[in-house]
Amino acid sequence: MHYFFLEGEPLVEGENRVLFERDTAHAYRVLRLRAGDEVVVADGRGTARQAVVIHSSPREVSVLPGRKLPSGEPPLRITLFQALVKGDKMDLIIRQAVELGVYRIVPFISARSIPQHADRQEEKKHLRWESKIRAAAAQCRRAFLPLLEPVRSFEAVLPEIMGVKTFVPWEEERALPLGALLKKPCPEGMAVFFLIGPEGGFEKAEVNALFRAGAEKVHLGPRILRSETAAAAVITMVQAAWGDLSGEGECD
Ligand code: SAH
């Protein structure tokens, strides 16, 4: 069943809602939705309802929300701090993270990030990434839209991670596998942060600064993963241990 986000206002049963303009043409022309068709609408904060199309035209499609659907949100809140990567790789990182249940995504600029600055396209990139989040959440039937933060400097990240269970997967770490840490009980606050470096990896000084801020250096096995693989692998591992990917996660 087709899935539309109507974020911003609570979805009330029996209260008509008009689809956002960004969805009208697709709903009317591509999906050919007409009065009486059933759809799902979600508020972006975890509530989804069944709904019926009550009016459909090239300019406006309106629906009538009905009964609530299960939210399916993991209790564990995973935040991915992702160093900026080249080109449109961030699109793939974002899509996979949303499907795997990430709670929040914080792009940041690390020493070897390309680009090295939040460029003039910043606003455009943020809007593009937000639309990738919406598309991925709709496709995987997720009523919650993970939060996307503005691009941070590396220095701004350090105070943010203090006091929260934080992992920094580092390609030069040999001693501690992430898997060993995941055998321990789920963190109290049910919040987990982790940082993934750019194509060029983390500098030792960055890893040391993160370590001083309380992050734990871990390795992800003997092979070097691309950033986009590492981000998806970590979320999968954490969700399988403590979240909703294994069914009996510690925090379920
Ligand atoms: N340029 C580096 C690889 C960077 S991979 C090299 O070729 O050695 C990008 C990011 O993915 C890394 O900064 C790290 O955060 C993560 N990563 C990839 N493979 C990893 C591994 N085996 N262990 C820990 N982290 C890894």
Side-chain angles (χ1 to χ4, degrees), residues 10 14 38 71 74 76 87 122 153 194 202 204 232 249:
E38 291 216 337
S71 129
L76 185 66
E122 186 48 32
S153 67
F194 68 93
F202 280 120
K204 197 163 177 55

Side-chain angles (χ1 to χ4, degrees), residues 4-250:
F4 296 95
F5 280 102
L6 288 169
E7 65 268 36
E9 301 276 317
L11 285 172
V12 180
E13 184 164 4
E15 213 171 273
N16 275 16
R17 291 293 294 276
V18 177
L19 294 191
F20 288 152
E21 201 180 324
R22 68 186 182 222
D23 292 324
T24 305
H26 184 68
Y28 182 78
R29 290 192 205 295
V30 177
L31 304 178
R32 305 186 63 72
L33 288 175
R34 297 294 180 267
D37 288 343
E38 291 216 337
V39 295
V40 174
V41 287
D43 67 355
R45 304 317 314 142
T47 301
R49 288 181 181 276
Q50 264 193 330
V52 177
V53 176
I54 47 171
H55 167 77
S56 180
S57 73
R59 278 176 313 289
E60 185 179 287
V61 174
S62 54
V63 298
L64 188 66
R67 71 180 181 81
K68 252 189 192 178
L69 297 170
S71 129
E73 272 309 295
L76 185 66
R77 292 185 162 183
I78 302 173
T79 295
L80 160 64
F81 288 80
Q82 176 61 53
L84 290 187
V85 284
K86 279 185 267 189
D88 57 5
K89 270 182 256 176
M90 191 63 108
D91 295 3
L92 173 61
I93 292 171
I94 287 172
R95 177 166 66 71
Q96 293 178 154
V98 171
E99 291 173 45
L100 290 165
V102 79
Y103 170 71
R104 183 167 74 113
I105 299 172
V106 185
F108 72 97
I109 301 169
S110 72
R112 298 177 191 163
S113 272
I114 300 170
Q116 257 304 312
H117 47 78
D119 54 21
R120 278 179 307 288
Q121 312 284 330
E122 186 48 32
E123 182 52 27
K124 222 170 94 193
K125 260 188 195 167
H126 191 91
L127 291 173
R128 167 194 170 87
W129 291 340
E130 276 185 335
S131 75
K132 297 294 175 193
I133 288 175
R134 240 188 338 265
Q139 177 272 323
C140 70
R141 301 275 180 271
R142 186 174 179 195
F144 178 81
L145 289 170
L147 310 174
L148 175 67
E149 304 278 7
V151 177
R152 299 268 201 282
S153 67
F154 179 76
E155 291 64 33
V157 163
L158 295 171
E160 263 199 70
I161 65 171
M162 289 176 178
V164 181
K165 170 66 74 178
T166 303
F167 306 122
V168 50
W170 184 35
E171 59 280 17
E172 294 180 31
E173 168 62 22
R174 287 287 168 271
L176 182 60
L178 174 59
L181 286 184
L182 296 177
K183 289 196 175 82
K184 294 183 182 167
C186 175
E188 277 310 300
M190 293 206 271
V192 175
F193 290 173
F194 68 93
L195 299 101
I196 298 292
E199 297 87 345
F202 280 120
E203 299 211 336
K204 197 163 177 55
E206 288 175 314
V207 174
N208 289 340
L210 290 165
F211 182 67
R212 283 195 300 276
E216 294 181 86
K217 293 179 277 188
V218 293
H219 73 68
L220 302 177
R223 289 169 294 283
I224 297 291
L225 312 177
R226 288 172 181 265
S227 293
E228 53 274 34
T229 311
V234 174
I235 302 174
T236 304
M237 291 171 74
V238 173
Q239 285 282 38
W242 294 334
D244 64 2
L245 278 191
S246 62
E248 65 277 350
E250 195 83 1

